[in-house]
Each structure stands twice: as C-alpha cells, then as structure tokens.
Amino acid sequence: THQWRGIIEEYRDRLPVTGSTPVVTLREGGTPLVPAQVLSERTGCEVHLKVEGANPTGSFKDRGMTMAISRAKEEGAKAVICASTGNTSASAAAYAVRAGMVSAVLVPQGKIALGKMGQALVHGAKILQVDGNFDDCLTLARALSENYPVALVNSVNPVRIEGQKTAAFEIVDMLGDAPDIHVLPVGNAGNITAYWKGYTEYAADGVAAKTPRMWGFQASGSAPIVRGEIVKDPSTIATAIRIGNPASWQYALAARDESGGLIDEVTDREILRAYRLLAAQEGVFVEPASAASVAGLLKAAEQGKVDPGQRIVCTVTGNGLKDPDWAVAGAPQPVTVPVDAATAAERLGLA
Ligand code: F0G
C-alpha cells in the first residue's frame, strides 16, 4: 500500500528542507489534473483543470503551508500569524494544529466566505476581524510578526512560494512537459509567482523542454496589476481575490513578461458564468475566485487570442464548498413531494 506522501517528501530534493526539518503535513498536493471536455471543444485546445480544491483544507494554500509551518516549527516558533481572505487562514489553522502551535488570523470583516470562517474556528485559530480590507490585514500581520513572537506565514514568506511551486512540477510530471499556456486567478500574486518558479526550475534542469506562457486574471473591481495602480477599495464577489495592493506584484509582472504572457481582468459576471459552466458542464465545483482562470481563458478565446491546438492548464484554486452561497443564489428552490413514487416520477419528468 502506497499513498502520496505530501509535497515535501515527494519533492524533497527541490525544496529548502534538511533531514532535521520536522515535516508537518496533511499529505497535500498530488491533486487531480482533469481533462476539460467542454472547455477543450470551445477553445479548440486541449484544456486541463488542476483541481486544487482537492487539497486537505480545500485550496492550494496547503502546498505553501506545509512548508511554512514545518520551517516555523524547525525554527522553534510557538505561534503563527497570517492575513487572509479566508483560505490561507483555514490552511494555517489546520497545519498549526498538526504542529502543536497557536494560530492567529486576521481577516477583513464581513468579507470572507462562511466555509472558510468555519474552518478557522473549528481548528481553533484566534481570529480577529479587521475593520479594513485584506491589504490592511497584511500590514497589521507584518507589524505583529516584526514586534511580537509570532511567525508570519503569508506568501511574503518565501518558503510559501517554494511549497506552491510543486503544483507546476506535478503538471509537468503528469503531461511529460509544460503546457503551452498556464492560466491562474491572481490576488496577492503569490501563486503565479510560485508556478513560474516551478516551471523555470524544471526547464533549467531539463525536466521540461519548455516553459508555458503565464496568463493571470484579476477581478475587474480588484485589478491593480491590470490598472498599474493600487486599488484603495477593492470589490468583487470573488472575495478570495479581493486585493488592491498585491504583495508579489513585481514577481507577477516578471512571470508575465519573462513567459510572454498576460495579466488581464474578468468581470464578476464573467466569473459567475465560468463558475456555473465548470459545475454544470465539467462536473467540477470550485469557489468563485477559482473560476477567474476559466473566465479569463473563455474571454481570451472570444477575443481570438487562443490559437487552436494548444495544451492549456487552468488552475482552479479552491473548493466550491467553501462558499456555497453562489451555488444556491438564483437557483430554483427544490420542490417538496410526498412519499409517493407516482408524484415523484411526475415531478422529475420521468412519467
Ligand atoms: N484563488 C483562491 C481560492 C484564493 O484563496 C487565492 C488567494 C487566490 C486564488 C489568489 O492567489 O493570492 O496567490 O494570487 N487567497 C489568499 C488568502 C489571499 O488569504 O487565502 P494569490
């Protein structure tokens, strides 16, 4: 019997760990790369979904968190802190439990999905709702980590990026080479930075023959990189990427430019359309922010920017169960029937 051991054991030689690093893991990574039939037909390409919602806490953050918490434990930290739009806090809280540490999380008041709040609570995090947005939370988390005995586990911590780059390794290991295009949602811009690092490392070592063009998509109301300026009051229904001043802004620009890629925006309407398409036509339930990658691919295809025949991977970053409000909103209420087969059959359109 063999199961996936988690990203640190699977990619130990490519990560900044030593034999004495205590590995804190929930066996994250090893996520499905799912062929997307409808998206492939629509674009004339071979489209795959990297389903990061299949990670232990339901998002890609677990890849970075196993690294950040393991290294924090090695350095003797007793407590960790992060700012979060929800997923980082859920992940930090769970991995802190595994490490026997205290976790503190700072979230923007009223702007995180219920499932994520539930995760932080049930894992026993100390939660502060900050009267501000994510960017304010990050400023506060940095200040606390500089002045108090608590380790910062946001993606400004470089070992987070190291862990997250393993998703690119998995894709190349699965496909035999890098795709032509890799599409991602962009919030704080850590993940696009991480994938680009992973792809360039594999190419430099000859594991992959090429690197992909990196395509990142922000939500229109929270698109500082597209606008070229900080967005003071970011807005979008995709609360995970409601960020106005991304910490890894410069790295995202480097990933775009070095790869010959692009960073563009998608509207909330386009995000929700892609969200529904993924669930209803591909069978993959993601949270709204995750659908920004697919929304971006569809937008680019409609603009004629997608040449047919290419191999494309879209990362869908988080599980749909995190934020089910958008699945229920606008959907018809299920009808109630008595315990009667004839009535049920009639209501189901079977009779
Ligand atoms: N998708 C989801 C589901 C996310 O939670 C995030 C970021 C992103 C995409 C964007 O990734 O920030 O690396 O560009 N969530 C962070 C958090 C900010 O606090 O959970 P990014």
Side-chain angles (χ1 to χ4, degrees), residues 4 26-34 49-63 95 170 284-287 290 315-322:
W4 178 264
L26 289 163
R27 311 254 174 166
E28 59 295 311
T31 55
L33 187 65
V34 178
L49 301 169
K50 183 65 170 160
V51 183
E52 290 291 276
N55 275 297
T57 79
S59 85
F60 70 96
K61 304 291 180 177
D62 294 344
R63 296 178 183 275
Y95 283 80
E170 288 175 20
V284 177
F285 185 26
V286 306
E287 64 170 289
S290 305
T315 297
V316 284
T317 44
N319 197 300
L321 294 171
K322 298 250 187 193

Side-chain angles (χ1 to χ4, degrees), residues 58-61 82-90 106-108 116 134 154-155 160-161 164 184-194 217-218 239-243 246 248 287-292 315-319 322:
S59 85
F60 70 96
K61 304 291 180 177
C82 65
S84 184
T85 56
N87 282 322
T88 299
S89 52
L106 308 178
V107 298
K116 303 173 189 180
F134 169 83
N154 278 105
S155 58
R160 276 276 313 275
I161 303 295
Q164 286 173 211
L184 286 158
V186 173
N188 211 27
N191 213 27
I192 192 169
T193 302
F217 291 91
Q218 302 194 290
T239 52
I241 53 172
R242 184 175 167 274
I243 294 175
S248 295
E287 64 170 289
S290 305
T315 297
V316 284
T317 44
N319 197 300
K322 298 250 187 193

Side-chain angles (χ1 to χ4, degrees), residues 46-117:
E46 178 192 316
V47 181
H48 302 261
L49 301 169
K50 183 65 170 160
V51 183
E52 290 291 276
N55 275 297
T57 79
S59 85
F60 70 96
K61 304 291 180 177
D62 294 344
R63 296 178 183 275
M65 207 52 72
T66 184
M67 277 299 307
I69 300 286
S70 295
R71 289 285 302 273
K73 190 173 174 70
E74 182 173 17
E75 284 151 26
K78 299 279 186 284
V80 295
I81 191 166
C82 65
S84 184
T85 56
N87 282 322
T88 299
S89 52
S91 186
Y95 283 80
V97 167
R98 299 291 294 190
M101 289 181 194
V102 172
S103 64
V105 307
L106 308 178
V107 298
Q109 193 198 357
K111 297 293 182 188
I112 88 163
L114 182 61
K116 303 173 189 180
M117 180 62 93

Side-chain angles (χ1 to χ4, degrees), residues 61-305:
K61 304 291 180 177
D62 294 344
R63 296 178 183 275
M65 207 52 72
T66 184
M67 277 299 307
I69 300 286
S70 295
R71 289 285 302 273
K73 190 173 174 70
E74 182 173 17
E75 284 151 26
K78 299 279 186 284
V80 295
I81 191 166
C82 65
S84 184
T85 56
N87 282 322
T88 299
S89 52
S91 186
Y95 283 80
V97 167
R98 299 291 294 190
M101 289 181 194
V102 172
S103 64
V105 307
L106 308 178
V107 298
Q109 193 198 357
K111 297 293 182 188
I112 88 163
L114 182 61
K116 303 173 189 180
M117 180 62 93
Q119 288 180 286
L121 286 166
V122 82
H123 290 308
K126 296 187 179 191
I127 305 173
L128 295 179
Q129 301 203 70
V130 176
D131 183 14
N133 58 36
F134 169 83
D135 308 289
D136 301 316
C137 293
L138 186 54
T139 302
L140 194 51
R142 284 191 208 247
L144 289 166
S145 71
E146 280 160 20
N147 296 302
Y148 298 90
V150 61
L152 186 64
V153 294
N154 278 105
S155 58
V156 294
N157 178 337
V159 304
R160 276 276 313 275
I161 303 295
E162 293 293 320
Q164 286 173 211
K165 77 185 179 185
T166 59
F169 296 163
E170 288 175 20
I171 290 163
V172 175
D173 290 346
M174 201 69 70
L175 297 177
D177 198 352
D180 298 303
I181 301 173
H182 191 111
V183 194
L184 286 158
V186 173
N188 211 27
N191 213 27
I192 192 169
T193 302
Y195 272 83
W196 182 237
K197 187 161 200 289
Y199 281 126
T200 50
E201 283 183 15
Y202 254 19
D205 293 344
V207 185
K210 61 173 185 244
T211 54
R213 281 182 283 150
M214 302 299 295
W215 286 11
F217 291 91
Q218 302 194 290
S220 290
S222 306
I225 300 178
V226 178
R227 305 258 180 281
E229 61 185 24
I230 292 170
V231 175
K232 286 244 165 55
D233 193 10
S235 73
T236 168
I237 57 106
T239 52
I241 53 172
R242 184 175 167 274
I243 294 175
N245 185 15
S248 295
W249 190 324
Q250 295 308 320
Y251 297 116
L253 292 180
R256 178 193 70 186
D257 296 341
E258 291 168 19
S259 75
L262 60 85
I263 295 181
D264 196 2
E265 62 187 281
V266 284
T267 64
D268 282 0
R269 187 180 292 267
E270 290 167 328
I271 288 172
L272 285 174
R273 204 161 37 141
Y275 167 85
R276 296 199 182 280
L277 181 153
L278 280 168
Q281 299 192 54
E282 298 286 6
V284 177
F285 185 26
V286 306
E287 64 170 289
S290 305
S293 57
V294 172
L297 174 62
L298 292 172
K299 178 182 172 183
E302 279 157 26
Q303 291 173 332
K305 289 184 189 164

